[in-house]
DNA sequence: CGCGCTCTTGACGAACATCAAGCTCCGTGG
DNA sequence: CCACGGAGCTTGATGTTCGTCAAGAGCGCG
């Protein structure tokens, strides 16, 4: 690999490094090791699947740009989205150890992906214990978010869940420098949103109308702007503790 | 630590070893390393908390006997259970890397626990890469179950979710030798079940009546017996793929 | 220009929550 | 021995949230 491409890889990994550095220091050798472990770049178009249920991937995929979601299809054709992913997120780091995909990952927008062949990840896990713990941590964060969604699904109203997802997405995007007070990109259809929130498309629409009319948000052309952050947090019982945005030794 | 206690620790770890060995081979040195990493034994009585939200544990807890649950309390006093844990399960291995608990763990019955001080786990992660990957895998399995519950919460009826939880619990208990065709222990109140399924106690009761009257299950004195496994699986869209019960190199 | 996708709105119905009450079982204390 | 109280289970009546069905409007794209 030429010096030129190595430099380029590091640039692509920047959101990922940011995400890790929000939780712990990342040494230069560790950054180097990750850059070395990276493989091909891939492009996916909106609607395409990155991986399917039942696949046995030989490499894991990190999002460089675009939005993806993990989802499962049920026998009766219903879909449930279990996670949203954006720049800096590994979408299937689990497949490194789980081996078989128990869910699919789809591109919600055009996406750029950088891959990490599993043999390279094994090497990292043999040579860089601390870095391994940080990768492990990244999958634990996915778990935290899953638990939080679960709490919402079980005990919050459709409106609260919607607000909560907006709060979470805003917070996560801000952490990688993709959101400010003027809003953030949220290129998701109301149908997909319904699949993520576990409600019907019709109901999603009504809930969003309400949030708009309450003066809490503006949402147009795939860009969301939160007008009243404190009130939206309060409404949605949002508390960012579960995102573990604290830099400390891990 | 005397030879006697070491032998005893290995005995207590047996369900945990079984759980790992269902997914990959576990070398004798690795078993030894785990036994060495173990710390105190603790006893909790039903209703007690093992850890609370906001705690910063310095050791992780493995269930030796009894049933626990992870849960979160919401501002309005509602509770959502996000996982059930039984012999061989780590209830807060995440705290090793997440540091701060974003949920609590409660004992649903009297429980025996064995602890693993975090410094010992760091040592394991420095010296036993393969074992580290297996510990990582254990947390990934928690994640798989969270995703599966999420799908159920979003897209299945109360009856299907209830059936699904029974299928999952039966399968997990059978894997550690705690269930057979005569039934399995499921010492959970209908109130806790409601908190796990995200529905009301009243509705839980009605759903269970239906499952009983359909001839699918018998449930008395904390023991469940599944009378028609194929039909219950079908009803609940249960497929054990997400439990990853396959032994292969990880 | 027409097709498909997304968003929007209304009418109606089903799944579930809430409120309320009575039940059984079991341990505790007089 | 029985009265008492609490925890869990059960059942009925009523209300609300949300799903389903249906239709139309706006918009980009070929």
């Amino acid at each position: 690999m030429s010096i030129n491409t190595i430099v380029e890889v590091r640039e692509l990994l920047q959101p990922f490094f940011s995400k890790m550095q929000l939780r712990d220091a990342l040494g230069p050798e560790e950054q180097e090791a990750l850059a070395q472990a990276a493989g091909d770049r891939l492009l996916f178009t909106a609607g395409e699947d990155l991986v399917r249920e039942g696949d046995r991937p030989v490499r894991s995929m990190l999002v460089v740009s675009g939005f993806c979601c993990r989802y499962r299809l049920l026998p009766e054709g219903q879909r449930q989205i279990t996670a949203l992913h954006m720049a800096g997120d590994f979408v299937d780091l689990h497949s490194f150890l789980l081996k078989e995909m128990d869910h699919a990952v789809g591109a919600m927008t055009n996406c750029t992906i950088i891959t990490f062949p599993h043999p390279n990840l094994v090497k990292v896990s043999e040579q860089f214990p601390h870095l391994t713990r940080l990768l492990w941590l990244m999958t634990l964060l996915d778990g935290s978010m899953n638990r939080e969604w679960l709490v919402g699904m079980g005990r919050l109203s459709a409106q609260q869940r919607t607000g909560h997802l907006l709060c979470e997405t805003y917070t996560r995007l801000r952490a990688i420098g993709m959101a400010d007070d003027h809003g953030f990109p949220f290129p998701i259809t109301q149908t997909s949103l319904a699949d993520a929130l576990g409600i019907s498309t019709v109901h999603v629409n009504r809930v969003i109308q309400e949030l708009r009319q309450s003066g809490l948000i503006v949402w147009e052309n795939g860009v969301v702007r939160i007008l009243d952050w404190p009130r939206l947090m309060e409404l949605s019982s949002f508390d960012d503790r579960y995102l573990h945005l604290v830099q400390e030794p891990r």
Side-chain angles (χ1 to χ4, degrees), chain A:
Chain A
M1 198 183 266
S2 74
I3 288 185
N4 204 348
T5 33
I6 285 269
V7 169
E8 209 180 309
V9 165
R10 282 175 151 278
E11 203 165 306
L12 297 178
L13 293 182
Q14 201 46 60
F16 179 49
F17 290 163
S18 301
K19 188 182 169 184
M20 290 179 119
Q21 283 164 337
L22 280 167
R23 277 82 182 196
D24 193 3
L26 192 63
E29 346 62 54
E30 293 177 326
Q31 296 185 24
E32 187 52 33
L34 283 173
Q36 291 288 350
D40 297 342
R41 251 153 298 172
L42 304 175
L43 298 176
F44 292 90
T45 46
E48 251 186 306
D49 277 333
L50 283 67
V51 260
R52 293 213 172 78
E53 192 174 331
D55 281 0
R56 298 181 59 89
V58 294
R59 57 192 185 183
S60 289
M61 304 197 198
L62 178 80
V63 183
V64 169
S65 73
F67 284 75
C68 318
C69 64
R70 300 167 193 248
Y71 68 91
R72 279 208 40 212
L73 294 175
L74 290 168
E76 296 77 27
Q78 317 144 77
R79 184 169 77 140
Q80 178 65 44
I81 292 176
T82 59
L84 297 185
H85 287 299
M86 47 207 72
D89 291 345
F90 256 115
V91 293
D92 64 344
L93 183 51
H94 347 54
S95 73
F96 167 46
L97 294 177
L98 287 177
K99 300 304 175 190
E100 181 174 302
M101 291 297 291
D102 52 27
H103 60 279
V105 179
M108 301 201 312
T109 63
N110 291 346
C111 289
T112 313
I113 297 293
I114 191 157
T115 63
F116 288 81
H118 289 171
N120 296 5
L121 292 177
V122 172
K123 245 181 265 170
V124 166
S125 84
E126 306 281 345
Q127 296 168 9
F128 298 90
H130 175 252
L131 183 53
T132 304
R133 292 199 296 273
L134 289 189
L135 291 175
W136 183 354
L137 176 64
M138 295 300 106
T139 65
L140 292 177
L141 291 176
D142 287 339
S144 291
M145 288 187 262
N146 279 147
R147 281 194 299 275
E148 190 71 12
W149 283 34
L150 202 45
V151 172
M153 296 285 265
R155 296 301 182 205
L156 299 185
S157 69
Q159 198 185 35
Q160 291 178 299
R161 267 179 276 167
T162 309
H164 195 283
L165 184 55
L166 292 175
C167 289
E168 178 182 303
T169 305
Y170 174 65
T171 305
R172 289 168 65 190
L173 284 175
R174 213 165 40 128
I176 52 172
M178 283 182 64
D180 56 30
D181 293 346
H182 304 304
F184 59 92
F186 198 37
I188 186 176
T189 65
Q190 293 188 0
T191 305
S192 290
L193 193 53
D195 289 339
L197 297 170
I199 57 185
S200 68
T201 308
V202 171
H203 202 60
V204 163
N205 188 275
R206 292 193 229 270
V207 163
I208 293 176
Q209 302 298 335
E210 285 169 25
L211 292 177
R212 282 202 257 247
Q213 277 154 33
S214 311
L216 291 169
I217 63 162
V218 175
W219 186 338
E220 34 189 28
N221 303 320
V223 174
V224 174
R225 194 170 152 209
I226 296 175
L227 298 178
D228 192 337
W229 175 247
R231 207 147 59 86
L232 188 62
M233 277 180 72
E234 165 73 18
L235 167 77
S236 321
S237 308
F238 181 78
D239 176 345
D240 71 5
R241 160 178 284 168
Y242 74 98
L243 293 174
H244 298 272
L245 292 161
V246 180
Q247 220 218 21
E248 56 179 309
R250 314 256 181 184

